[in-house]
Amino acid sequence: MKWYIDSDRPIYKQLVEQIELRIISGVYTPGDKLESVREMAMDAGVNPNTMQKALAELERMELVFAQRTSGRFITEDLKVIEEAKKNLAVQEIGAFLEKMKKLGMGRNEILALMEKIEEGEKEDDHIKH
Amino acid sequence: MTILSTKNLTKTYGKKTALSQINIEIPRGRIIGLLGPNGSGKSTFIKLAAGLLVPTDGEIIIAGEAPGVDTKAKVSYLSERTYLNDWMRVSEIIAFFEDFYEDFNRIKAENMLKDLNINPDDRLKTMSKGTKEKVQLILVMSRQAQLYLLDEPIGGVDPAARDYILNTIITNYKEDAAVIISTHLIADIEQILDDIIFINQGELVMSSSVDEIREAHNKSVDGLFREVFKC
């Protein structure tokens, strides 16, 4: 998987977000062992100290836990992952609604449009199969 | 633990001041970008740290000592210009380095040459500018030094080799060593830096961590640099 680093935000925060997303979407599964900080830093092309900082933040968020001798693991607590997923969804929807507001779209308009698009997708599927 | 510190470090060439009253401390375990426009004093700073120049005023201390024979054994320096003899083969230069530096790791150098498809039997004079730069960087990074001073290490190499070189710097990262990279190609190296030092016209303008800059200015270091030094 590729890492994406934008230019205008702290790098460690972007690493936190991307690792979080990998955990939520199941790229990393609960109980998985993470690679070493150095390997992860190399893979992302970032400074090891920055990766270390990101992992410390993920530990604080309880998405990742460290075992003194054997390394870092993805949490096995599914509730924590579910909670993170919900938080992220709320954030994304917030950002989406903000944009729609700028376009002058009201709630009903948005919902109608979403349904229409969803139906369109279903029809497309129908034709394909 | 500090690897390099300066106190009112000043260097003048005749009437021209290259560096003026620089006070910095560089801890071990950090990768630092020394950034500034052309003629800002970056190379002068690096040369003072490498012991090639002597301060006009103030002091510079590396691992507890003024630059000299002892610090040269701990400092691995990549100069802006090549000082290697053109007629030599890479394998001969490696033997040279092995002789000169106790901390030189031949196997590491040979592996890196292989990764970059450089034939150790080739002579330097038959190589492109970029390949020569790669050879020099390989030599410098193959030492187990405490301080690496890289003066414009990525100027002439292609993007793929640049990635390899940056990766080499990350892989080489050691908690007891620091790397100082002087460059104006900030965007390319920003991701691997811990801290930056901005200098301009011989004066320290800013010293901060990369993420602090991004947090405070909502801009990359590259973006901030362009703003601060707008011509």
Side-chain angles (χ1 to χ4, degrees):
Chain A
M1 252 185 103
K2 240 182 116 37
W3 299 81
Y4 297 95
I5 313 285
D6 310 332
S7 58
D8 52 354
R9 293 184 309 129
I11 296 165
Y12 90 94
K13 277 194 184 160
Q14 300 184 49
L15 296 174
V16 168
E17 288 165 8
Q18 286 176 49
I19 296 169
E20 186 186 16
L21 193 62
R22 287 173 186 204
I23 296 171
I24 292 170
S25 64
V27 174
Y28 297 145
T29 50
D32 265 3
K33 186 178 191 300
L34 285 168
E35 287 179 302
S36 71
V37 173
R38 192 185 294 259
E39 281 165 330
M40 289 183 75
M42 254 185 72
D43 192 38
V46 300
N47 183 299
N49 291 320
T50 310
M51 184 57 83
Q52 174 72 39
K53 193 171 167 191
L55 290 170
E57 174 65 14
L58 286 158
E59 269 178 45
R60 203 194 53 75
M61 294 161 74
E62 294 178 359
L63 282 164
V64 160
F65 66 96
Q67 234 152 32
R68 213 172 295 162
T69 49
S70 47
R72 278 197 181 78
F73 298 83
I74 305 297
T75 182
E76 286 166 347
D77 188 342
L78 299 181
K79 259 192 284 173
V80 176
I81 299 178
E82 199 53 40
E83 192 63 26
K85 183 177 177 173
K86 218 165 101 193
N87 282 339
L88 195 64
V90 168
Q91 265 178 42
E92 290 291 331
I93 291 170
F96 167 77
L97 289 177
E98 195 61 36
K99 270 188 204 154
M100 288 297 121
K101 208 167 143 193
K102 276 187 196 151
L103 292 178
M105 301 275 287
R107 181 194 146 88
N108 291 336
E109 247 179 314
I110 296 169
L111 286 175
L113 198 56
M114 276 173 72
E115 266 171 30
K116 208 171 152 195
I117 288 169
E118 238 178 342
E119 266 168 36
E121 277 175 2
K122 271 185 208 149
E123 270 168 34
D124 281 350
D125 284 348
H126 196 69
I127 295 164
K128 268 183 217 156
H129 295 297
Chain B
M1 262 273 276
T2 306
I3 179 74
L4 184 156
S5 66
T6 69
K7 216 196 265 163
N8 300 325
L9 181 66
T10 300
K11 178 72 189 173
T12 57
Y13 302 116
K15 275 185 193 156
K16 194 180 177 319
T17 303
L19 279 181
S20 169
Q21 308 270 330
I22 303 283
N23 290 299
I24 48 173
E25 272 199 20
I26 293 175
R28 292 172 193 263
R30 310 291 280 184
I31 303 177
I32 291 120
L34 179 60
L35 315 174
N38 300 116
S40 54
K42 301 191 293 287
S43 287
T44 298
F45 181 85
I46 298 255
K47 283 176 184 155
L48 285 163
L52 295 179
L53 293 174
V54 182
T56 312
D57 205 3
E59 62 173 16
I60 179 164
I61 299 291
I62 293 165
E65 296 169 87
V69 178
D70 288 336
T71 66
K72 282 182 189 179
K74 297 172 188 159
V75 174
S76 192
Y77 166 56
L78 176 73
S79 63
E80 214 176 352
R81 291 202 197 90
T82 177
Y83 53 88
L84 299 166
N85 288 315
D86 236 9
W87 51 266
M88 285 178 98
R89 296 177 197 280
V90 175
S91 55
E92 291 167 336
I93 301 170
I94 286 185
F96 223 52
F97 263 68
E98 217 174 12
D99 258 5
F100 264 104
Y101 299 111
E102 242 173 73
D103 60 359
F104 185 75
N105 183 337
R106 168 188 279 270
I107 294 163
K108 204 171 188 178
E110 285 171 346
N111 284 338
M112 285 199 261
L113 288 170
K114 215 188 328 171
D115 284 343
L116 288 172
N117 290 317
I118 298 169
N119 183 349
D121 296 328
D122 284 353
R123 293 180 197 275
L124 273 190
K125 67 175 169 200
T126 66
M127 293 177 172
S128 70
K129 181 167 170 270
T131 308
K132 269 186 225 166
E133 284 190 13
K134 289 179 207 167
V135 170
Q136 286 190 79
L137 190 77
I138 287 171
L139 292 166
V140 167
M141 293 311 292
S142 296
R143 289 185 52 198
Q144 301 290 318
Q146 294 179 31
L147 179 64
Y148 297 86
L149 301 168
L150 312 179
D151 200 355
E152 295 286 355
I154 53 170
V157 301
D158 58 80
R162 188 172 303 168
D163 284 350
Y164 179 85
I165 287 167
L166 295 181
N167 248 320
T168 304
I169 295 172
I170 300 173
T171 330
N172 256 289
Y173 170 85
K174 287 190 298 282
E175 268 153 30
D176 63 341
V179 184
I180 301 178
I181 306 171
S182 105
T183 188
H184 48 252
L185 299 172
I186 306 170
D188 286 331
I189 65 158
E190 188 166 340
Q191 285 187 31
I192 72 158
L193 299 178
D194 286 297
D195 308 304
I196 59 100
I197 296 169
F198 268 175
I199 56 174
N200 191 26
Q201 296 179 354
E203 291 188 14
L204 183 68
V205 177
M206 183 189 290
S207 120
S208 166
S209 87
V210 170
D211 273 351
E212 271 165 25
I213 287 181
R214 286 172 170 241
E215 192 103 56
H217 300 270
N218 287 322
K219 262 191 196 79
S220 64
V221 173
D222 187 57
L224 182 67
F225 182 93
R226 284 167 202 263
E227 198 178 272
V228 172
F229 295 117
K230 198 163 184 204
C231 306

